[in-house]
Amino acid sequence: MKDTKQLRIYLIAILAIISFFKILFTATTSLSLFSEETQYWLWSQNLDWNYYSKPLMIAVYNFIFTGVFGHTDVAVRLSAVLFSAGTAWVIFELGQQMYRDPRIGFWAALMLVVMPYFHLASFFHTTDSSLLFFWALSFYWLYRATESKKTTYWMYAGLASALGMLSKNTMVLAIPLIFVYLLLVDFRQLKQKGFYIYCLVFSLSFVPIIIWNFQHDFVTFKHVGTLGGVEGESKPFDFGESLNYISEYAGGQLGIISAFFIPFLVMAIRRLVKYKERKMLFNLLPAILVWMLFFLISITKRVEVNWPAFAYVTLPLAMAYILTLISQGWRKYAVYATAISGILLILIMKPAPLDAIGFRNVLRPDKDPLARLAGYREMGNRIDVLIDSLELEKHFIFSDSYHLASEMAFYVDGNPQTYTINLGRRKNQFDLWPGIDQFENKGYDGIFIQWNTADRSEVVDGFDKRVLKETHYAIYRGDTVRVFSIEVYKNLHHIDEVKSDSY
């Protein structure tokens, strides 16, 4: 008990320090919010029961935190920081509950916080941030439920999973995963009420999703189906392209859990195969089955590296358990692996020391993932200047990209509602809101922003005239990483948009 209390204190201190520096980074960096973050923030300014691609809770979290702390970068990301600290804490408690050894939970939590996929979800406020927390909380209660068979625990698990489902739809995979687990270790529980109470409580979260989609032509289902290769146009199978998809997927999955931890993952899987331990199966089964599911998808289309990552939350418990069984040399390696993984994450976020020793030649600034966060704040400031200097009164901001439209809604003074037009893209949430047609022939001026500087005849022909066109450069690590066009037009008449059926 003394060790448990002491390790809890250590973990609280570590998580508090990590959280402080994540908030400090966001408060002091010149980088902007990720475009998905600003999109979800914009949803919170238009609250609904569901959205085009995600359930409602991502907007609710933003609504709460920005309502309290204002529309700032820190307020948007604060929930991600808190959810990540909570996820690590739940993993600690699950390890303590599962093995009655606080060291396992402690090391599992430390390994988790330095895994690249978890770092991203804990830094940037996306749907993964809350999904990981509710996934961990669900499996905490599911473990206690399957071990004790208490109805109350099944209900707690159902509530956690329901909140997870309202955070991201992939939470639904928890049902078949726990079904397969019980089928393998204790199929008699499938004849008892606990599992079905869990499913019933969980299913309450489906209600707002289904009702909203019924009212909106089931766009979420069409969108998810397109991403999974079920909906949309099919194309001939290309063996070479398939190999590229598979190699990208397999390599990416090893990277996002940290290559330094691969030996422990291999040891854990070997022990599961050899001894078929129930606890090891509980921790590894979600990752294995979800990995296999997305591997099958990767045969025919590209899978984003973060898609299966939610199922890896319990992997550190399997690895930390292995640490109690192996030699002292491997334990020292685990300490170094954890420390190096954490240091590399810090250097990736603050690459100046690496650039001083030639890192720019290894990872060019324009290829750095963080380059996607450069330039938006400055572009918003420039638009403020143009609105003032050109004395634009009746005006609106629009783009052919929801990424740019969302960023400008956040960074332009006053947080105006922005709009998107369709010049050949797939549908998104903006298509479910009123468009720029409401401004036609009413004397409204338009501020158009796009990724490149090419003239778009549809836009040019839709107004009386173009007042201004200028190029905006996004600078990161001393290099130009993106080029944007800012264009101001007088008096909207009508823009001919593409009628898209692509989701």
Side-chain angles (χ1 to χ4, degrees):
M1 286 296 293
K2 184 178 180 180
D3 288 343
T4 301
K5 182 178 180 180
Q6 190 174 45
L7 288 177
R8 279 198 177 105
I9 294 173
Y10 289 160
L11 183 60
I12 290 173
I14 291 170
L15 294 177
I17 292 170
I18 292 173
S19 299
F20 170 78
F21 280 106
K22 286 181 178 178
I23 294 171
L24 181 64
F25 176 89
T26 297
T28 58
T29 184
S30 62
L31 293 174
S32 311
L33 293 175
F34 181 43
S35 60
E36 294 299 318
E37 293 179 289
T38 53
Q39 177 191 204
Y40 301 144
W41 164 84
L42 187 55
W43 292 4
S44 75
Q45 307 306 296
N46 299 269
L47 288 177
D48 207 341
W49 288 105
N50 197 73
Y51 297 90
Y52 174 84
S53 60
K54 301 293 189 300
L56 76 157
M57 291 306 293
I58 185 72
V60 173
Y61 306 138
N62 270 311
F63 182 81
I64 293 172
F65 281 94
T66 58
V68 174
F69 300 105
H71 300 292
T72 65
D73 298 46
V74 170
V76 169
R77 288 187 177 161
L78 187 56
S79 57
V81 174
L82 296 178
F83 272 126
S84 65
T87 304
W89 182 262
V90 172
I91 289 301
F92 170 81
E93 293 296 341
L94 178 55
Q96 165 69 9
Q97 186 71 222
M98 186 176 286
Y99 294 103
R100 302 298 175 185
D101 186 344
R103 296 173 302 168
I104 293 177
F106 181 77
W107 274 105
L110 292 187
M111 295 171 85
L112 179 65
V113 297
V114 299
M115 288 183 173
Y117 86 88
F118 185 79
H119 171 75
L120 294 175
S122 66
F123 216 109
F124 306 110
H125 186 212
T126 68
T127 50
D128 285 342
S129 307
S130 48
L131 172 66
L132 294 180
F133 173 75
F134 288 114
W135 185 273
L137 189 61
S138 295
F139 276 78
Y140 171 84
W141 288 114
L142 284 169
Y143 177 77
R144 298 194 66 176
T146 55
E147 292 298 306
S148 68
K149 304 178 180 62
K150 288 186 177 180
T151 301
T152 304
Y153 293 163
W154 282 110
M155 292 180 64
Y156 291 160
L159 288 171
S161 295
L163 288 170
M165 183 68 182
L166 291 174
S167 297
K168 192 171 183 177
N169 295 324
T170 45
M171 187 74 219
V172 72
L173 292 176
I175 293 177
L177 288 173
I178 201 63
F179 178 86
V180 172
Y181 172 75
L182 290 176
L183 198 63
L184 293 174
V185 302
D186 190 0
F187 72 93
R188 288 173 297 181
Q189 288 200 51
L190 295 175
K191 300 179 181 179
Q192 300 169 359
K193 63 182 181 179
F195 173 75
Y196 302 99
I197 289 175
Y198 166 71
C199 292
L200 179 62
V201 176
F202 191 162
S203 66
L204 295 175
S205 62
F206 302 167
V207 175
I209 297 172
I210 292 174
I211 292 176
W212 184 91
N213 272 276
F214 185 81
Q215 297 170 338
H216 294 84
D217 196 29
F218 290 92
V219 294
T220 304
F221 294 87
K222 293 177 181 178
H223 170 71
V224 174
T226 299
L227 293 180
V230 178
E231 292 275 350
E233 295 182 4
S234 60
K235 58 181 181 179
F237 179 76
D238 186 313
F239 185 74
E241 192 175 62
S242 178
L243 285 179
N244 286 333
Y245 292 158
I246 291 172
S247 61
E248 286 179 14
Y249 173 73
Q253 297 313 299
L254 293 177
I256 63 174
I257 64 172
S258 179
F260 298 107
F261 293 147
I262 300 304
F264 305 120
L265 177 60
V266 173
M267 292 179 202
I269 294 174
R270 288 176 60 186
R271 185 169 182 86
L272 173 63
V273 172
K274 185 174 182 179
Y275 296 105
K276 298 177 176 59
E277 294 174 342
R278 179 168 174 156
K279 296 172 184 177
M280 187 66 81
L281 181 66
F282 185 87
N283 289 326
L284 289 179
L285 186 66
I288 292 171
L289 292 184
V290 171
W291 186 93
M292 291 173 61
L293 170 64
F294 284 99
F295 174 81
L296 293 175
I297 296 175
S298 74
I299 294 174
T300 57
K301 66 175 300 172
R302 177 172 284 106
V303 171
E304 296 296 332
V305 69
N306 67 303
W307 286 1
F310 64 91
Y312 300 164
V313 176
T314 53
L315 275 185
L317 286 168
M319 298 179 186
Y321 172 60
I322 288 295
L323 293 181
T324 65
L325 306 174
I326 56 180
S327 66
Q328 186 65 29
W330 273 113
R331 293 176 193 171
K332 288 183 179 179
Y333 169 80
V335 174
Y336 293 133
T338 303
I340 293 172
S341 296
I343 291 170
L344 287 177
L345 290 176
I346 294 172
L347 290 175
I348 288 172
M349 300 302 294
K350 287 284 191 179
L354 294 177
D355 284 343
I357 57 174
F359 184 61
R360 295 166 62 88
N361 298 323
V362 178
L363 180 62
R364 297 199 334 248
D366 62 316
K367 299 297 182 182
D368 188 331
L370 289 181
R372 299 171 64 185
L373 282 65
Y376 299 119
R377 190 192 315 274
E378 294 79 6
M379 185 159 62
N381 292 337
R382 180 57 184 166
I383 289 176
D384 287 334
V385 171
L386 291 175
I387 291 173
D388 182 60
S389 62
L390 296 175
E391 298 181 347
L392 301 179
E393 295 182 2
K394 295 170 62 177
H395 66 273
F396 59 93
I397 300 169
F398 70 113
S399 176
D400 58 341
S401 163
Y402 78 82
H403 298 280
L404 291 176
S406 299
E407 293 281 3
M408 293 307 98
F410 190 83
Y411 286 111
V412 171
D413 188 43
N415 304 123
Q417 176 65 51
T418 54
Y419 305 87
T420 67
I421 56 174
N422 196 327
L423 301 179
R425 57 165 174 78
R426 69 183 187 184
K427 294 183 177 182
N428 60 56
Q429 177 64 37
F430 281 88
D431 296 313
L432 303 180
W433 293 333
I436 66 170
D437 55 325
Q438 64 185 299
F439 304 118
E440 291 179 356
N441 301 310
K442 296 179 181 178
Y444 276 84
D445 304 328
I447 303 173
F448 179 64
I449 48 178
Q450 61 173 334
W451 293 115
N452 52 62
T453 59
D455 281 344
R456 306 304 294 266
S457 59
E458 305 94 327
V459 178
V460 175
D461 295 340
F463 291 83
D464 276 349
K465 64 178 180 178
R466 183 164 63 196
V467 177
L468 174 145
K469 178 177 181 178
E470 65 178 39
T471 302
H472 176 77
Y473 300 94
I475 309 299
Y476 177 62
R477 292 169 58 193
D479 280 7
T480 297
V481 292
R482 285 191 175 186
V483 179
F484 306 100
S485 176
I486 304 176
E487 305 169 26
V488 180
Y489 293 87
K490 293 293 290 184
N491 192 20
L492 172 68
H493 292 298
H494 176 75
I495 295 177
D496 288 325
E497 300 185 47
V498 175
K499 302 298 182 183
S500 174
D501 290 323
S502 175
Y503 292 88

